[in-house]
Amino acid sequence: MRPLAVLQFVRMIMTLAAITLMATTCEESPDTPDHSDSRGDEEPLSPSPSSQIEKNTENIVSELESETHNTQNDSTVDISNTETVNYSYTAPFTQLQISGQNNELRRAVVVKIGNNNSSSRPQVGLNSADIVFELLIEGIRTRFLAVYHTEIPKRISPVRSARSSDFDLIRDLGNPYFVSSGGNSKVLNEMKSAARKQIMIDGSASSSKAYYIRDKSRRSPYNLVFAYSPPEEDNENMDIDFEPQIFDNALTEALPSIFKYSSNLDLNKTPFSTEMSDTDSGDNTVGLRITYRQPAGVDVMHIWDETVQGWVRIQDGTLHVVETDYGMAEIAPTNVLVLSIDYKTSEADRGSPHAITYGEGEAWLLTQGEIIQAFWKRTEDRIGFHLTDNEDTQLSLTPGKTWVLLTNRRGPHPIAQIRHIPGNEGWKLLNDARIAYTISQQ
């Protein structure tokens, strides 16, 4: 029963009891003396039964009113003083359950990040990306297209120029902000066209200068920093002269995922084809190695580490580490997806490869310590990449961060050589890379 209802009920019962007792008292003691003239120094008289009941009634009613009032106040206090309840949602680009601030409708931020050579490394903030696409560029090097949604770090660098390959990949990401240092005139025209079609929002350095600063500890062009939050004024390495605005994060609906994910994977442990397995059977594989024409081209390895539950990256023989808000960290994504695709020559730059990401081809899915031979397919009438095994069963990724390596499978540009890394070789390579990095920091 509600407190107010109880209060009304008690009042009614007490009133009836008082009336009954008063009537009984009057019948039994009609000559009760009047004590109105009693001296003040005399002992107080005992109250009459009726007055005692009235007093008790008032006390009970008062207590109930107080309790009711306190209950209402407590309820009010609880509501006003309660901290915001942590919101839980499924991150679209990792399918992880996220608790905390509600960022479900936050617009993604896609950043073009340099990886040309050692001057580009260590990158800053790269580990926070939900998805990283690695694309071939001129000079037989690669560059990253990093997708940020679950977490957007305060600093991301080095920000580099866009390529024609970027816009088809961005198409599936829900009209994100695209952060870059710009591009040549033809790429800038492609960027304007993509913005008009609402494929992306131009967040390049030329259109959003307020978000960009220069890191004076590095040389240009490897020092352009995208500052999602204002930098600390006491950071002497930063060239600070801006008042940033907050990006508009509002979306009308949650972003779709571009891969299928599952926490309980029924892994199809299909071994590598014979042309890829040059030293051992696929059953003993602990990683993949992707090489473009050595020694000039890029050489990348992803090796499984059970301890960190990720595929640790070694690039050009060196442990690939990045700067975070908490220090240096290895790159070790939950999933690595290697897609064999075609690269044509870019219309914007005759020396630049242009990734063809619509179509189909072979793929290799690295997840949960297993390497699965697969096939990819992507069409313009649906969002994302569709992965199947050799029996045409759809494959899923493990919830977590994913790196997608878009490797060239035929001319006119250099072709990627892909081979598996046997267990003993892989563990030695990883151990040696970690030791070498530790020594370099001493």
Side-chain angles (χ1 to χ4, degrees):
M1 185 179 293
R2 295 181 179 178
L4 290 176
V6 173
L7 178 60
Q8 294 172 350
F9 179 77
V10 170
R11 278 178 168 165
M12 180 183 70
I13 295 298
M14 290 301 181
T15 302
L16 290 174
I19 294 172
T20 303
L21 186 56
M22 289 177 64
T24 304
T25 303
C26 292
E27 291 178 359
E28 293 179 352
S29 306
D31 299 323
T32 301
D34 183 5
H35 297 288
S36 59
D37 294 334
S38 300
R39 294 179 300 176
D41 56 355
E42 293 181 352
E43 294 183 4
L45 298 175
S46 300
S48 67
S50 61
S51 62
Q52 184 66 49
I53 290 176
E54 291 173 354
K55 184 176 181 180
N56 290 343
T57 301
E58 292 173 358
N59 289 341
I60 293 173
V61 170
S62 177
E63 289 176 3
L64 281 171
E65 289 175 340
S66 176
E67 182 178 346
T68 302
H69 179 71
N70 289 339
T71 301
Q72 292 171 337
N73 285 347
D74 288 345
S75 176
T76 303
V77 169
D78 288 343
I79 294 173
S80 62
N81 291 342
T82 299
E83 296 182 359
T84 303
V85 177
N86 283 342
Y87 185 89
S88 179
Y89 70 98
T90 301
F93 299 133
T94 65
Q95 291 299 294
L96 292 172
Q97 283 296 120
I98 305 298
S99 297
Q101 185 178 359
N102 179 10
N103 290 325
E104 185 174 14
L105 298 180
R106 170 158 62 185
R107 192 181 300 277
V109 177
V110 180
V111 186
K112 200 62 185 285
I113 300 177
N115 190 47
N116 296 53
N117 48 43
S118 58
S119 297
S120 300
R121 300 187 290 272
Q123 290 90 355
V124 180
L126 184 57
N127 245 25
S128 298
D130 292 341
I131 300 173
V132 176
F133 294 97
E134 183 174 18
L135 299 105
L136 184 66
I137 62 170
E138 62 280 358
I140 324 179
R141 309 307 299 178
T142 62
R143 190 164 287 182
F144 300 131
L145 189 70
V147 182
Y148 296 88
H149 185 267
T150 305
E151 175 188 3
I152 304 177
K154 295 179 180 179
R155 308 286 179 274
I156 302 173
S157 74
V159 178
R160 298 302 307 273
S161 57
R163 294 291 184 273
S164 301
S165 302
D166 301 331
F167 306 110
D168 278 345
L169 288 171
I170 292 173
R171 189 183 299 272
D172 284 349
L173 303 177
N175 195 22
Y177 289 99
F178 182 35
V179 170
S180 72
S181 63
N184 65 30
S185 58
K186 292 183 178 179
V187 171
L188 291 179
N189 286 334
E190 292 173 347
M191 190 180 299
K192 291 177 182 178
S193 175
R196 286 194 299 269
K197 297 175 183 177
Q198 296 187 334
I199 293 171
M200 43 134 282
I201 299 172
D202 184 5
S204 65
S206 59
S207 65
S208 306
K209 294 180 180 179
Y211 287 92
Y212 293 85
I213 55 180
R214 291 285 180 180
D215 183 351
K216 293 185 290 186
S217 68
R218 298 190 182 193
R219 64 184 178 89
S220 180
Y222 308 102
N223 64 348
L224 185 60
V225 180
F226 173 69
Y228 188 69
S229 300
E232 296 79 6
E233 294 183 0
D234 60 352
N235 191 334
E236 61 184 15
N237 286 330
M238 295 297 178
D239 182 10
I240 302 168
D241 184 21
F242 71 104
E243 295 181 0
Q245 305 294 318
I246 298 175
F247 270 22
D248 175 17
N249 295 323
L251 292 171
T252 57
E253 58 184 14
L255 294 168
S257 176
I258 62 173
F259 300 111
K260 180 184 177 183
Y261 294 83
S262 176
S263 298
N264 301 308
L265 299 183
D266 182 14
L267 296 177
N268 180 2
K269 301 179 182 180
T270 304
F272 283 96
S273 58
T274 55
E275 55 267 28
M276 290 189 59
S277 180
D278 54 2
T279 59
D280 201 354
S281 68
D283 294 338
N284 194 34
T285 296
V286 296
L288 277 189
R289 186 169 192 166
I290 299 95
T291 306
Y292 287 97
R293 192 189 302 163
Q294 287 298 305
V298 66
D299 178 46
V300 171
M301 290 178 276
H302 279 278
I303 299 173
W304 175 253
D305 186 337
E306 185 75 24
T307 303
V308 300
Q309 288 290 293
W311 299 88
V312 182
R313 181 180 171 96
I314 297 174
Q315 180 166 312
D316 299 333
T318 303
L319 187 69
H320 198 159
V321 296
V322 296
E323 291 185 18
T324 73
D325 291 339
Y326 311 101
M328 305 301 292
E330 298 177 350
I331 291 178
T334 303
N335 308 289
V336 175
L337 185 59
V338 180
L339 305 181
S340 287
I341 70 169
D342 291 333
Y343 280 85
K344 68 178 183 179
T345 297
S346 173
E347 296 179 2
D349 182 354
R350 302 302 297 176
S352 180
H354 182 158
I356 308 301
T357 53
Y358 286 108
E360 58 186 20
E362 290 187 342
W364 293 267
L365 172 60
L366 286 64
T367 191
Q368 292 188 11
E370 301 291 343
I371 300 178
I372 308 167
Q373 192 170 15
F375 300 92
W376 69 271
K377 186 176 183 179
R378 184 175 183 231
T379 57
E380 296 189 29
D381 59 347
R382 66 180 179 186
I383 292 175
F385 290 83
H386 184 75
L387 300 174
T388 58
D389 62 15
N390 54 9
E391 295 180 354
D392 203 30
T393 301
Q394 187 171 4
L395 294 173
S396 301
L397 280 63
T398 304
K401 296 179 179 180
T402 301
W403 277 51
V404 184
L405 282 56
L406 300 168
T407 62
N408 187 37
R409 64 187 172 190
R410 59 172 63 98
H413 299 282
I415 299 172
Q417 298 176 348
I418 306 173
R419 76 174 183 90
H420 75 273
I421 304 173
N424 291 337
E425 178 187 344
W427 296 320
K428 185 179 186 304
L429 286 167
L430 181 55
N431 186 59
D432 289 348
R434 283 171 166 165
I435 291 174
Y437 173 73
T438 300
I439 293 174
S440 71
Q441 300 302 302
Q442 294 176 351

